[in-house]
Amino acid sequence: ARLFAAGEVDGGVHGANRHGSNSLTDCLVFGCHAGDEAAGVTAASEQEMAEASPGEIVPERADFAALQRLMWEGMGIVRDEAGMARLADDLACLPPSDAQLMAQMALAFARRRAESRGAHIRADYPAEDPAWARSQVARLKGGDVAFEPTVL
């Protein structure tokens, strides 16, 4: 609820092989749709924020420069499990924020997908695995990332 995304951050309609021009078009088209939807959603009240469970709404601001550096080092275009494990430890040391939560979610997806696909290369899994030709869905449950079963 109340999280809207468009362009590269949502996977887009082009999957792992999205290119700049496709991504920009995605941002314009789907960004407009996301904006229209977001405009119809009311902001959380002070009471809702006070009653939110951990991981739902985290109002603290993130150090985006530090987070960007950590994400690039641990989960850039070429990644492996050792680097992503270090990234998990580094993310756990940051103060909680929405950005840190999203980084942890992205990391959980990347660690689970044991293959290379499109422009995302796992040095420890250099080939595509046909079993991973599917989407992943996860939700936060009790502050942890819980993956839902997916059907091919």
Side-chain angles (χ1 to χ4, degrees), residues 1 3 6-7 28-29 40 47-48 51 63 93 96-97 99 105 107-108 114 122 133 138 141 147 150:
L3 175 64
L28 292 172
V29 173
Q47 184 65 26
E48 285 175 318
E51 295 173 358
D63 179 349
C93 294
S97 68
M105 292 285 289
L107 178 59
R122 285 281 305 255
K141 293 187 180 177
F147 287 91
T150 56

Side-chain angles (χ1 to χ4, degrees), residues 5-16 18 22-23 26-27 30 135:
E8 288 192 28
V9 298
D10 74 354
V13 294
H14 305 288
R18 57 196 181 274
N22 293 339
S23 178
D26 284 357
C27 287
F30 296 108
S135 296

